[in-house]
């Protein structure tokens, strides 16, 4: 297996989420395995750094982990779209199927997920299997939150349901996106 890496923009977005949620002093108190000021948005870094941040979020959100990670997924997408007028305009003009295909192609994570988009009638299935050895259900929650944020940003009327999960015995993680007519 290739080494899993993540883009600096994703690390920065997670740090921004933590800072907004629990404050700058909390971020400064973390014994980070990296220097946040040295993270470049377009470079790739070890996936373990993201897992470290996820661990800290889980510790802080104890008992509310699922909600915290879904909210983080939403906030990361919202942060990425903030102030990008042209991108937001294009998102609203695309079909839901095309929007999800584009999201899959331009994912910030490199070799962390494997899958794709499957259309079955009025349902779209997003397959998002984690490929790194260090897998977690937290990534499922983040993915669900991110999908919800993309749909909300697109002004589409759709619902996301996490219908199958590798962490509950299924072969794949499947998120069904059903557009409401």
């Amino acid at each position: 297996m290739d080494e899993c890496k993540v883009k600096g923009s994703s690390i920065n977005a997670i740090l921004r989420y933590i800072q907004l949620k629990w404050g700058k002093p909390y971020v400064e108190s973390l014994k980070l395995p990296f220097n946040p000021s040295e993270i470049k948005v377009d470079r790739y870094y070890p996936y373990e750094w993201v897992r470290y941040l996820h661990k800290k979020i889980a510790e802080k959100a104890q008992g509310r982990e699922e909600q915290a990670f879904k909210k983080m997924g939403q906030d990361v997408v919202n942060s990425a779209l903030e102030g990008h007028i042209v991108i937001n305009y294009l998102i609203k003009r695309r079909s839901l199927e095309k929007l999800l295909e584009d999201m899959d192609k331009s994912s910030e994570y490199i070799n962390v997920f494997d899958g794709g988009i499957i259309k079955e009638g009025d349902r779209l299935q997003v397959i998002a299997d984690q490929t790194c050895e260090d897998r977690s259900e937290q990534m499922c929650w983040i993915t669900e939150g991110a999908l919800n944020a993309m749909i909300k940003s697109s002004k589409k009327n759709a619902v996301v349901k996490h219908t199958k999960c590798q962490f509950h015995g299924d072969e794949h993680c499947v998120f069904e996106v059903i557009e409401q007519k």
Side-chain angles (χ1 to χ4, degrees), residues 4 9 20 27 45-46 79 114 122 127 154-155 160 165 177 179:
C4 291
S9 55
L20 287 172
V27 173
Y45 298 93
S79 173
D114 188 29
D122 63 344
I127 311 298
S154 73
K155 303 289 189 213
V160 176
C165 185
V177 181
E179 194 162 8

Side-chain angles (χ1 to χ4, degrees), residues 60-103:
K60 195 73 170 162
Q62 196 166 17
R64 302 174 326 279
E65 294 93 345
E66 184 174 354
Q67 296 86 353
F69 282 100
K70 284 181 182 180
K71 178 76 169 99
M72 185 180 78
Q74 292 171 349
D75 288 352
V76 166
V77 167
N78 291 336
S79 173
L81 297 175
E82 190 175 302
H84 292 94
I85 296 167
V86 173
I87 293 172
N88 283 303
Y89 174 77
L90 292 173
I91 285 172
K92 291 174 187 155
R93 307 249 327 149
R94 291 183 121 25
S95 71
L96 192 54
E97 181 178 7
K98 188 68 177 153
L99 180 67
L100 294 173
E101 286 173 355
D102 290 347
M103 184 180 175

Side-chain angles (χ1 to χ4, degrees), residues 16-59:
R16 198 167 28 255
Y17 168 79
I18 294 170
Q19 183 170 325
L20 287 172
K21 185 106 175 122
W22 295 296
K24 190 173 183 174
Y26 178 69
V27 173
E28 291 170 352
S29 76
L30 298 174
K31 292 179 171 53
L32 296 173
F34 57 90
N35 182 342
S37 65
E38 294 177 1
I39 299 293
K40 307 288 186 234
V41 296
D42 56 347
R43 287 197 48 213
Y44 289 93
Y45 298 93
Y47 181 62
E48 293 79 34
W49 294 0
V50 170
R51 293 294 302 133
Y52 181 84
L53 293 171
H54 289 178
K55 179 182 169 194
K56 294 302 177 184
I57 292 168
E59 288 171 2

Side-chain angles (χ1 to χ4, degrees), residues 12 18 31 46 53 106 134 138 145 149 156-157 162 164 179:
N12 287 337
I18 294 170
K31 292 179 171 53
L53 293 171
S106 65
D134 185 14
Q138 297 163 348
K156 306 283 189 272
N157 186 16
H162 189 187
K164 294 183 181 177
E179 194 162 8

